[in-house]
Amino acid sequence: MTTKTQNTVTQDNTNSTTTTTTKKNNNSTKKWTFLDYLIFFWLHLDLFVHVVLEGGYTYFQFTTPIATAPKPTNLLGKLIYWVWYQYGTYGDTAWLYFNDTIMSIEIFTVIFVNISLLLAIHHMWFGNDAKRHFWQIVLCVCEMYGVWFSFCPESFDGFPTVTRDPFYLFTYVICFNGTYVIIPLLLLIQSYHYFTSHHHSAVVKQQQVNEKKLN
């Protein structure tokens, strides 16, 4: 009787180990959809913007603000300078100078947002969907907050530093910043559906297990 019980326990442990291994393998070899590739590309583009462009902007502002900085001689420095000089000149002049609110946002972005980005990319690559969606939520909320705090303080004064030119207002201010509202919002919706659908599946499975036990 004891031997049979031990064999049953051993078999159950073996089955559970095999199931766990199979699940891990399924996660790591899961076939990506076209949407997955788009999101993976966006996360890398997002990382470039936050690390290179915004990290470079933060460096400029702590050394010599864009408005008074000499033009860099290296290619990367020229790119960073050109992007922010264009945006500050034709979009929002607050970005040409050291602004307390903007710098507070940028420091947070360069450190914490990039950490959440790297973790989202890491877990997406290795097929850990639950952790990826958690960090995706953190990332998206931070980015939407960043846009909000970039413009909300200025709104109380009537946006004095934002351009009034319709073309530059639309292309530089609305389009560039709107991207960091629309895409994070869509990714938040995706993560919401992921967690709610998996929760529903878990509830259904548990109900089936309970029904089998009763029968």
Side-chain angles (χ1 to χ4, degrees):
M1 185 69 180
T2 306
T3 305
K4 287 183 180 180
T5 305
Q6 289 175 344
N7 289 338
T8 304
V9 172
T10 304
Q11 187 174 0
D12 289 340
N13 291 335
T14 304
N15 290 337
S16 62
T17 304
T18 304
T19 303
T20 304
T21 306
T22 304
K23 285 182 178 179
K24 287 181 179 179
N25 291 334
N26 289 338
N27 283 335
S28 59
T29 59
K30 186 186 73 172
K31 188 176 180 180
W32 281 19
T33 63
F34 179 67
L35 180 60
D36 290 327
Y37 283 108
L38 279 180
I39 293 172
F40 198 65
F41 170 76
W42 163 255
L43 292 176
H44 279 83
L45 179 62
D46 202 16
L47 187 66
F48 171 79
V49 171
H50 289 318
V51 172
V52 178
L53 297 183
E54 294 189 87
Y57 174 81
T58 305
Y59 172 79
F60 265 110
Q61 298 301 77
F62 273 121
T63 53
T64 307
I66 298 292
T68 57
K71 291 184 179 181
T73 56
N74 62 79
L75 183 62
L76 183 60
K78 287 180 179 179
L79 172 65
I80 296 169
Y81 175 85
W82 180 83
V83 167
W84 293 111
Y85 183 82
Q86 289 291 313
Y87 183 79
T89 302
Y90 300 107
D92 187 347
T93 56
W95 291 76
L96 290 174
Y97 306 95
F98 192 99
N99 181 287
D100 293 343
T101 302
I102 292 173
M103 288 306 298
S104 298
I105 296 168
E106 291 305 316
I107 293 169
F108 181 85
T109 298
V110 170
I111 298 173
F112 297 105
V113 173
N114 283 329
I115 291 173
S116 62
L117 246 175
L118 289 170
L119 288 169
I121 291 171
H122 170 80
H123 291 304
M124 186 174 185
W125 178 255
F126 287 102
N128 193 325
D129 288 337
K131 290 182 179 179
R132 167 254 172 134
H133 280 285
F134 170 80
W135 288 110
Q136 183 170 291
I137 290 171
V138 173
L139 167 67
C140 293
V141 171
C142 288
E143 289 183 331
M144 293 173 72
Y145 262 111
V147 175
W148 172 262
F149 284 112
S150 294
F151 292 99
C152 184
E154 290 190 15
S155 67
F156 295 108
D157 298 321
F159 300 105
T161 61
V162 176
T163 182
R164 295 298 186 267
D165 184 281
F167 175 76
Y168 290 118
L169 178 65
F170 179 76
T171 55
Y172 279 40
V173 180
I174 296 176
C175 286
F176 287 176
N177 292 285
T179 301
Y180 279 92
V181 175
I182 295 172
I183 294 180
L185 183 60
L186 293 174
L187 292 177
L188 277 175
I189 293 171
Q190 185 203 34
S191 295
Y192 170 80
H193 283 300
Y194 171 82
F195 283 117
T196 53
S197 62
H198 278 69
H199 174 72
H200 177 72
S201 299
V203 170
V204 171
K205 286 181 181 178
Q206 187 61 46
Q207 288 175 347
Q208 291 173 347
V209 169
N210 293 337
E211 288 175 0
K212 287 181 179 179
K213 287 181 178 179
L214 291 174
N215 295 333

